[in-house]
Amino acid sequence: MKERRNAVALAPSLLSADLADLGSAMEAAESAGADAFHVDVMDGHFVPNITFGPSWLEAIRRRTHLPLDIHLMIEAPIRYLDTYAHAGGDTLVFHAEATNDPNEVVRAARKLGAGVGIAIRPETPLDRVEPFLAMVDELIVMSVNPGFSGQKFIPDSPAKVRAARAAIDRERLDVELSVDGGITPETARWSVAAGASFLVCGNSVFSHGAISANLEALRAAVEEGRRDRSEIR
Ligand code: DX5
Ligand code: ZN
């Protein structure tokens, strides 16, 4: 995994930014210490919404050197790995529910030289992806139903994050453990206390107030979560 400044990464989700002024929003988030950007790709089939085609990603790529975490909420993700890797994605994250053959998707992403991640919906049990953890760079535990930003964090998500952290540590794997959906300072703290290393933050960064103050509040909550976690252990 790439070196980075912070033990727990904050990855603003561009879906919540002002899309007509995306470059400025990215610049503000980057100078306020964002560690990566998260790009939600939706196809209108796997989820009801439609977002970010490859030309968006090319434009995003031109505006930042930060890692781009591409969340593919699309059916049959193997069809688009090549496109999104070439458009500038660093890590391509597909949904376990969107393919019958996760092995094949992982292999195809690796062949392209891309990082690869696997995501699970809130109702999908962790054991569905445990066999693939040794092959991927990232696991996204979804804490809302995928499709839209601005939803409320599902309260039993930290339990799943804890179980995922235990599975990753048991096998001594180098897997980024991400939580996506409904992250606020409060739920950031819970997620980090449960073992998350990467937080996707949409509305809590972009939808109200200053981007820098929002990231600062999230960073402070992450530090509280890290303290909680070291006390639990
Ligand atoms: C939901 C997306 C999330 C979303 C996060 O389907 O995967 O990345 O944009 O936005 P917030 O943080 O507002 O829930
Ligand atoms: Zn996402």
Side-chain angles (χ1 to χ4, degrees), residues 23-226:
S24 319
M26 289 173 64
E27 224 174 274
E30 189 163 343
S31 56
D35 300 280
F37 287 112
H38 180 86
V39 183
D40 289 305
V41 177
M42 307 188 187
D43 67 351
H45 291 276
F46 183 73
V47 288
N49 202 355
I50 301 183
T51 61
F52 299 123
S55 50
W56 274 93
L57 183 53
E58 283 168 16
I60 290 165
R61 177 75 288 168
R62 284 195 291 271
R63 292 300 288 258
T64 183
H65 294 296
L66 288 182
L68 297 177
D69 186 51
I70 313 302
H71 184 185
L72 298 170
M73 284 164 274
I74 64 177
E75 293 289 355
I78 199 158
R79 297 171 303 160
Y80 283 100
L81 297 176
D82 196 7
T83 306
Y84 280 91
H86 284 112
D90 292 297
T91 305
L92 305 174
V93 186
F94 66 97
H95 264 268
E97 306 86 358
T99 173
N100 294 323
D101 193 350
N103 274 311
E104 187 190 21
V105 182
V106 172
R107 272 200 306 272
R110 292 281 182 224
K111 237 188 234 162
L112 295 163
V116 60
I118 192 159
I120 45 175
R121 289 175 178 273
E123 73 272 17
T124 302
L126 183 69
D127 57 16
R128 177 98 174 258
V129 289
E130 277 195 41
F132 308 107
L133 289 181
M135 295 174 217
V136 297
D137 304 302
E138 180 178 2
L139 168 66
I140 296 185
V141 172
M142 295 272 338
S143 40
V144 298
N145 285 310
F148 300 92
S149 57
Q151 303 181 75
K152 238 178 122 52
F153 186 87
I154 295 174
D156 56 10
S157 310
K160 204 180 201 177
V161 175
R162 251 191 309 278
R165 170 52 62 203
I168 290 168
D169 289 354
R170 197 164 46 237
E171 307 292 328
R172 298 175 191 276
L173 301 174
D174 186 14
V175 175
E176 192 83 82
L177 177 51
S178 305
V179 180
D180 183 10
I183 292 292
T184 61
E186 187 180 33
T187 62
R189 180 174 179 170
W190 299 342
S191 301
V192 171
S197 62
F198 190 103
L199 301 177
V200 176
C201 321
N203 269 25
S204 61
V205 170
F206 292 118
S207 81
H208 46 76
I211 290 171
S212 59
N214 292 342
L215 274 164
E216 214 172 284
L218 287 161
R219 187 69 70 198
V222 162
E223 289 313 314
E224 287 171 353
R226 293 182 71 203

